[in-house]
Amino acid sequence: EPEVTQTPSHQVTQMGQEVILRCVPISNHLYFYWYRQILGQKVEFLVSFYNNEISEKSEIFDDQFSVERPDGSNFTLKIRSTKLEDSAMYFCASERSVAKNIQYFGAGTRLSVL
Amino acid sequence: AQTVTQSQPEMSVQEAETVTLSCTYDTSESDYYLFWYKQPPSRQMILVIRQEAYKQQNATENRFSVNFQKAAKSFSLKISDSQLGDAAMYFCAYRGGPTSGTYKYIFGTGTRLKVLA
């Protein structure tokens, strides 16, 4: 069964460094999402992406964050200058059609900012 | 703004017994979608069951069923014949309907389910 793949599974970085989290959505999916989950808290929406542009973003998704679909298969989340509070689990999700209303999630990338 | 509330941080159930996880939500929309996702220790988010608000019939998927009470804005998950593999964090999620202009999920805080052998 096709699945959403995220790499790396765990990323450790120093505060102020840039990180790129990578996702390979399911191949025929058209809508892409990033969510994050701070340890012990609920999953929060960051951004949605469709047709090579951001369709919606939350207030968390400030200028430090950006997303890109550079090559038609990968979907990346970049954090330009990481802060301690960016430490969280980041989940990528993809969806074939919004009419189906089912997002498929990857296993997540745990980001640890030291 | 829509909110999702899961009032049970943790629940326990004996293997083979039945357990119900609660979820309430707040919305002014009449058309929307509700989901239960399971997050085992591997942290992968797995869809358990989905309900469309315009459907009166409660969704079922094998041992999993929901009690959807639209007027009360309640969406509980019943797990029958609980198995050790059901132990996980369970998240309730809401998504607006086609006219809402948004496709994001709004999650509750989760309920950790322990299954006792």
Coordinates of all heavy atoms in Angstrom, one line a residue, chain A residues 4 31 33 35 37 39 41-45 56 89 91 95 97-107 110, chain B residues 4 33 35 37 39 42-47 50 52 89 91 95-96 101-110:
Chain A
V4 N 3.1 7.7 2.8 CA 3.9 9.0 2.8 C 5.2 8.7 3.6 O 5.2 8.1 4.7 CB 3.0 10.1 3.6 CG1 3.9 11.3 3.7 CG2 1.7 10.3 2.8
Y31 N -2.7 17.3 -2.8 CA -2.8 18.3 -1.7 C -1.8 17.8 -0.6 O -1.8 16.7 -0.3 CB -4.2 18.4 -1.1 CG -5.2 18.9 -2.1 CD1 -5.8 18.0 -3.0 CD2 -5.6 20.2 -2.1 CE1 -6.7 18.5 -4.0 CE2 -6.6 20.6 -3.0 CZ -7.1 19.8 -3.9 OH -8.0 20.2 -4.8
Y33 N 0.3 18.8 3.2 CA 0.2 19.5 4.5 C 1.4 19.2 5.4 O 2.0 18.1 5.3 CB -1.1 18.9 5.2 CG -2.4 19.0 4.4 CD1 -2.7 18.0 3.5 CD2 -3.2 20.0 4.6 CE1 -3.9 18.0 2.8 CE2 -4.4 20.1 3.8 CZ -4.7 19.1 3.0 OH -5.9 19.1 2.2
Y35 N 2.0 19.4 9.6 CA 1.5 19.6 11.0 C 2.7 19.4 11.9 O 3.7 18.8 11.6 CB 0.5 18.5 11.3 CG -0.8 18.6 10.5 CD1 -1.0 18.0 9.2 CD2 -2.0 19.2 11.1 CE1 -2.1 18.1 8.5 CE2 -3.2 19.3 10.4 CZ -3.2 18.7 9.1 OH -4.4 18.8 8.4
Q37 N 3.6 18.5 16.2 CA 3.1 18.1 17.5 C 4.3 18.3 18.5 O 5.2 17.5 18.6 CB 2.7 16.6 17.5 CG 2.1 16.1 18.8 CD 1.8 14.6 18.7 OE1 2.4 13.8 17.9 NE2 0.8 14.2 19.4
L39 N 5.9 17.8 22.1 CA 5.7 16.7 23.0 C 4.6 16.8 24.0 O 4.6 17.8 24.7 CB 7.1 16.4 23.6 CG 7.2 15.1 24.5 CD1 7.0 13.9 23.6 CD2 8.5 15.1 25.2
Q41 N 1.6 17.4 23.5 CA 0.5 18.4 23.1 C -0.2 17.8 21.8 O 0.1 16.8 21.3 CB 1.0 19.8 22.9 CG 1.7 20.4 24.1 CD 2.1 21.8 23.9 OE1 1.6 22.5 23.0 NE2 3.0 22.3 24.7
K42 N -1.2 18.6 21.4 CA -2.0 18.1 20.3 C -1.3 18.4 19.0 O -0.4 19.2 18.9 CB -3.4 18.7 20.3 CG -3.5 20.2 20.1 CD -4.9 20.6 20.2 CE -5.1 22.1 20.2 NZ -6.5 22.5 20.3
V43 N -1.8 17.8 17.9 CA -1.2 18.0 16.6 C -1.8 19.3 16.1 O -3.0 19.5 16.1 CB -1.6 16.8 15.7 CG1 -1.1 17.1 14.3 CG2 -1.1 15.5 16.2
E44 N -0.9 20.2 15.5 CA -1.4 21.5 15.1 C -1.0 21.7 13.6 O 0.0 21.3 13.1 CB -0.6 22.6 15.8 CG -0.8 22.6 17.3 CD 0.1 23.6 18.0 OE1 1.4 23.4 18.0 OE2 -0.4 24.7 18.4
F45 N -1.9 22.3 12.9 CA -1.8 22.5 11.5 C -0.8 23.7 11.3 O -0.8 24.7 12.0 CB -3.1 23.0 10.9 CG -3.1 23.5 9.5 CD1 -2.9 22.7 8.4 CD2 -3.2 24.9 9.3 CE1 -2.9 23.3 7.1 CE2 -3.1 25.5 8.0 CZ -3.0 24.6 6.9
E56 N -3.1 27.6 2.4 CA -3.5 28.1 3.8 C -2.4 27.9 4.7 O -1.6 27.0 4.6 CB -4.7 27.3 4.3 CG -5.3 27.8 5.6 CD -6.5 27.0 6.1 OE1 -6.9 26.0 5.4 OE2 -7.1 27.3 7.1
M89 N 7.6 17.1 16.9 CA 7.4 16.1 15.8 C 6.7 16.8 14.7 O 5.7 17.4 14.9 CB 6.5 14.9 16.3 CG 6.6 13.7 15.5 SD 8.1 12.8 15.9 CE 7.7 11.3 15.1
F91 N 4.8 16.3 11.1 CA 4.1 15.3 10.2 C 3.8 15.9 8.9 O 3.3 17.1 8.8 CB 2.8 14.9 10.9 CG 3.0 14.0 12.1 CD1 2.9 14.6 13.4 CD2 3.3 12.7 12.0 CE1 3.0 13.8 14.5 CE2 3.5 11.9 13.1 CZ 3.4 12.5 14.4
E95 N -3.0 14.1 0.2 CA -4.4 13.8 0.0 C -4.6 13.8 -1.5 O -4.2 14.7 -2.2 CB -5.3 14.9 0.6 CG -6.8 14.8 0.5 CD -7.5 15.8 1.4 OE1 -6.9 16.8 1.7 OE2 -8.6 15.5 1.8
S97 N -7.6 13.9 -3.2 CA -8.7 14.9 -3.6 C -9.4 15.4 -2.4 O -9.7 14.6 -1.5 CB -9.7 14.2 -4.5 OG -10.9 14.9 -4.6
V98 N -9.6 16.6 -2.3 CA -10.3 17.1 -1.1 C -11.7 16.6 -1.0 O -12.4 16.6 0.1 CB -10.3 18.7 -1.0 CG1 -8.9 19.2 -0.8 CG2 -10.9 19.3 -2.3
A99 N -12.3 16.1 -2.1 CA -13.6 15.5 -2.1 C -13.6 14.2 -1.3 O -14.6 13.8 -0.7 CB -14.1 15.2 -3.5
K100 N -12.4 13.5 -1.2 CA -12.3 12.3 -0.4 C -12.2 12.6 1.0 O -12.5 11.8 1.9 CB -11.1 11.5 -0.9 CG -11.3 10.9 -2.3 CD -12.2 9.7 -2.2 CE -12.3 9.0 -3.6 NZ -13.3 7.9 -3.5
N101 N -11.6 13.7 1.4 CA -11.5 14.2 2.8 C -10.6 13.2 3.6 O -10.9 13.1 4.8 CB -12.8 14.3 3.4 CG -13.5 15.5 2.9 OD1 -13.2 16.6 3.2 ND2 -14.5 15.3 2.1
I102 N -9.7 12.5 3.1 CA -8.8 11.7 3.9 C -7.4 12.1 3.7 O -6.9 12.0 2.5 CB -9.0 10.2 3.6 CG1 -10.4 9.8 3.9 CG2 -8.0 9.3 4.4 CD1 -10.8 8.4 3.5
Q103 N -6.7 12.5 4.7 CA -5.3 12.8 4.6 C -4.5 11.6 5.1 O -4.8 11.0 6.2 CB -5.0 14.1 5.5 CG -5.6 15.3 4.9 CD -5.4 16.6 5.8 OE1 -4.4 16.6 6.6 NE2 -6.1 17.6 5.6
Y104 N -3.4 11.3 4.4 CA -2.6 10.2 4.8 C -1.3 10.8 5.4 O -0.6 11.6 4.7 CB -2.3 9.3 3.6 CG -3.5 8.6 3.1 CD1 -4.4 9.2 2.2 CD2 -3.8 7.3 3.5 CE1 -5.5 8.6 1.7 CE2 -4.9 6.7 3.1 CZ -5.8 7.3 2.2 OH -6.9 6.7 1.8
F105 N -0.9 10.3 6.5 CA 0.2 10.9 7.3 C 1.4 10.0 7.2 O 1.4 8.8 7.1 CB -0.2 11.0 8.8 CG -1.1 12.2 9.0 CD1 -2.5 12.0 8.8 CD2 -0.7 13.4 9.5 CE1 -3.4 13.1 9.0 CE2 -1.5 14.4 9.8 CZ -2.9 14.3 9.5
G106 N 2.6 10.7 7.2 CA 3.8 10.0 7.3 C 4.1 9.7 8.8 O 3.3 10.1 9.7
A107 N 5.2 9.1 9.0 CA 5.6 8.6 10.4 C 6.2 9.8 11.2 O 6.5 9.6 12.4 CB 6.5 7.5 10.3
R110 N 11.2 13.8 14.1 CA 11.4 14.4 15.4 C 12.5 15.4 15.3 O 13.6 15.0 14.9 CB 11.7 13.4 16.4 CG 11.9 14.0 17.8 CD 12.2 12.9 18.8 NE 11.2 11.9 19.0 CZ 10.1 12.1 19.6 NH1 9.9 13.2 20.3 NH2 9.2 11.1 19.7
Chain B
V4 N -12.0 21.2 19.1 CA -12.2 19.8 19.4 C -11.7 19.5 20.8 O -10.6 19.8 21.1 CB -11.5 18.9 18.3 CG1 -11.7 17.4 18.7 CG2 -11.9 19.2 16.9
Y33 N -16.6 17.1 8.5 CA -16.2 15.7 8.6 C -15.5 15.5 9.9 O -14.8 16.4 10.4 CB -15.2 15.4 7.4 CG -15.9 15.7 6.1 CD1 -15.7 17.0 5.5 CD2 -16.6 14.7 5.4 CE1 -16.3 17.3 4.3 CE2 -17.2 15.0 4.2 CZ -17.1 16.3 3.6 OH -17.6 16.6 2.4
F35 N -13.1 12.6 12.2 CA -12.2 11.5 12.1 C -11.7 11.0 13.5 O -11.6 11.8 14.4 CB -11.0 11.9 11.3 CG -11.3 12.5 9.9 CD1 -11.5 13.9 9.9 CD2 -11.3 11.8 8.8 CE1 -11.8 14.5 8.6 CE2 -11.5 12.4 7.6 CZ -11.8 13.7 7.5
Y37 N -8.1 9.2 14.5 CA -6.8 8.7 14.1 C -6.2 8.0 15.3 O -6.3 8.4 16.5 CB -5.9 9.9 13.6 CG -6.1 10.2 12.2 CD1 -7.1 11.1 11.8 CD2 -5.3 9.7 11.2 CE1 -7.3 11.4 10.5 CE2 -5.4 10.0 9.9 CZ -6.5 10.9 9.5 OH -6.6 11.3 8.2
Q39 N -2.5 6.8 16.9 CA -1.1 7.0 16.9 C -0.4 6.0 17.9 O -0.3 6.3 19.1 CB -0.7 8.5 17.3 CG 0.7 8.8 17.1 CD 1.0 10.2 17.6 OE1 0.6 10.7 18.6 NE2 1.8 11.0 16.8
S42 N 5.0 4.0 17.4 CA 5.8 4.3 16.3 C 5.5 5.8 15.8 O 6.3 6.3 15.0 CB 5.4 3.4 15.1 OG 4.1 3.6 14.7
R43 N 4.5 6.4 16.3 CA 4.1 7.8 16.0 C 3.4 8.0 14.7 O 3.0 9.1 14.4 CB 5.3 8.8 16.1 CG 6.1 8.8 17.4 CD 5.2 9.1 18.6 NE 4.6 10.4 18.6 CZ 5.2 11.5 19.1 NH1 6.4 11.4 19.7 NH2 4.6 12.6 19.1
Q44 N 3.3 7.0 13.9 CA 2.5 7.1 12.6 C 1.1 7.4 12.9 O 0.5 6.7 13.8 CB 2.7 5.8 11.9 CG 1.9 5.8 10.5 CD 2.8 6.0 9.4 OE1 3.9 5.4 9.4 NE2 2.4 6.7 8.4
M45 N 0.5 8.3 12.2 CA -0.9 8.6 12.4 C -1.7 7.8 11.4 O -1.5 7.9 10.2 CB -1.2 10.1 12.1 CG -0.5 11.0 13.1 SD -1.4 11.2 14.6 CE -2.6 12.4 14.0
I46 N -2.6 6.9 12.0 CA -3.4 6.0 11.1 C -4.8 6.3 11.2 O -5.4 6.4 12.3 CB -3.1 4.5 11.6 CG1 -1.6 4.2 11.5 CG2 -3.9 3.5 10.8 CD1 -1.1 3.0 12.3
L47 N -5.5 6.4 10.1 CA -6.9 6.7 10.1 C -7.7 5.4 10.6 O -7.5 4.3 10.1 CB -7.4 7.0 8.7 CG -8.9 7.2 8.6 CD1 -9.4 8.5 9.3 CD2 -9.3 7.4 7.1
R50 N -14.0 7.4 9.8 CA -14.4 8.7 9.3 C -15.9 8.9 9.2 O -16.6 7.9 8.9 CB -13.8 8.9 7.9 CG -14.3 10.0 7.0 CD -13.4 9.9 5.7 NE -14.0 10.8 4.7 CZ -14.8 10.3 3.7 NH1 -15.2 9.1 3.7 NH2 -15.3 11.1 2.8
E52 N -19.1 11.5 7.9 CA -19.6 12.7 7.2 C -20.8 13.3 8.0 O -21.7 12.5 8.3 CB -19.9 12.4 5.8 CG -18.7 12.1 5.0 CD -19.0 11.0 3.9 OE1 -19.7 10.0 4.3 OE2 -18.5 11.1 2.8
M89 N -2.3 6.2 21.2 CA -3.0 7.5 21.4 C -4.0 7.7 20.4 O -3.8 7.4 19.2 CB -1.9 8.6 21.3 CG -2.3 9.9 21.8 SD -2.3 10.0 23.6 CE -2.3 11.7 23.9
F91 N -6.6 10.3 18.5 CA -7.0 11.7 18.3 C -8.3 11.8 17.5 O -8.5 11.1 16.5 CB -5.9 12.4 17.5 CG -4.6 12.6 18.2 CD1 -3.5 11.7 18.0 CD2 -4.5 13.7 19.1 CE1 -2.4 11.9 18.7 CE2 -3.3 13.9 19.8 CZ -2.2 13.0 19.6
R95 N -12.8 18.5 10.3 CA -12.5 19.2 9.1 C -13.7 19.9 8.5 O -14.8 19.2 8.5 CB -11.9 18.3 8.1 CG -11.7 18.9 6.7 CD -11.0 17.9 5.9 NE -10.9 18.2 4.4 CZ -10.0 17.8 3.6 NH1 -9.0 17.0 4.1 NH2 -10.0 18.2 2.4
G96 N -13.6 21.1 8.1 CA -14.7 21.8 7.5 C -15.2 21.2 6.2 O -14.5 20.5 5.6
G101 N -13.9 26.5 2.9 CA -12.7 27.2 2.4 C -11.4 26.7 3.0 O -10.4 27.3 2.8
T102 N -11.5 25.7 3.8 CA -10.3 25.2 4.5 C -10.3 23.6 4.5 O -11.4 23.0 4.6 CB -10.2 25.7 5.9 OG1 -9.0 25.1 6.5 CG2 -11.4 25.3 6.8
Y103 N -9.2 23.1 4.3 CA -9.1 21.6 4.3 C -8.2 21.1 5.5 O -7.9 19.9 5.5 CB -8.5 21.1 3.0 CG -9.2 21.6 1.8 CD1 -8.6 22.4 0.8 CD2 -10.6 21.3 1.7 CE1 -9.4 22.8 -0.3 CE2 -11.3 21.8 0.6 CZ -10.7 22.5 -0.4 OH -11.4 23.0 -1.5
K104 N -7.8 22.0 6.3 CA -7.0 21.5 7.4 C -7.8 20.7 8.4 O -9.0 20.9 8.6 CB -6.3 22.7 8.2 CG -7.4 23.6 8.9 CD -6.7 24.8 9.5 CE -7.8 25.6 10.2 NZ -7.2 26.9 10.6
Y105 N -7.1 19.8 9.1 CA -7.7 19.1 10.3 C -7.4 19.9 11.5 O -6.4 20.5 11.7 CB -7.0 17.7 10.4 CG -7.4 16.7 9.5 CD1 -8.2 16.9 8.4 CD2 -6.9 15.4 9.6 CE1 -8.5 15.9 7.5 CE2 -7.2 14.4 8.8 CZ -8.0 14.6 7.7 OH -8.4 13.6 6.8
I106 N -8.4 19.9 12.4 CA -8.3 20.4 13.8 C -8.3 19.2 14.7 O -9.4 18.5 14.7 CB -9.4 21.4 14.1 CG1 -9.3 22.6 13.1 CG2 -9.2 21.9 15.5 CD1 -10.4 23.5 13.1
F107 N -7.3 19.0 15.5 CA -7.2 17.9 16.3 C -7.5 18.2 17.8 O -7.3 19.3 18.3 CB -5.8 17.3 16.3 CG -5.4 16.6 15.0 CD1 -4.9 17.3 14.0 CD2 -5.6 15.2 14.9 CE1 -4.5 16.6 12.8 CE2 -5.3 14.6 13.8 CZ -4.7 15.3 12.7
G108 N -8.0 17.2 18.5 CA -8.2 17.2 19.9 C -6.8 16.9 20.6 O -5.8 16.6 19.9
T109 N -6.8 16.9 21.9 CA -5.5 16.7 22.6 C -5.2 15.2 22.8 O -4.1 14.9 23.2 CB -5.6 17.3 24.0 OG1 -6.8 16.9 24.7 CG2 -5.6 18.9 23.9
G110 N -6.1 14.4 22.4 CA -5.8 12.9 22.4 C -6.2 12.2 23.7 O -6.3 12.8 24.8

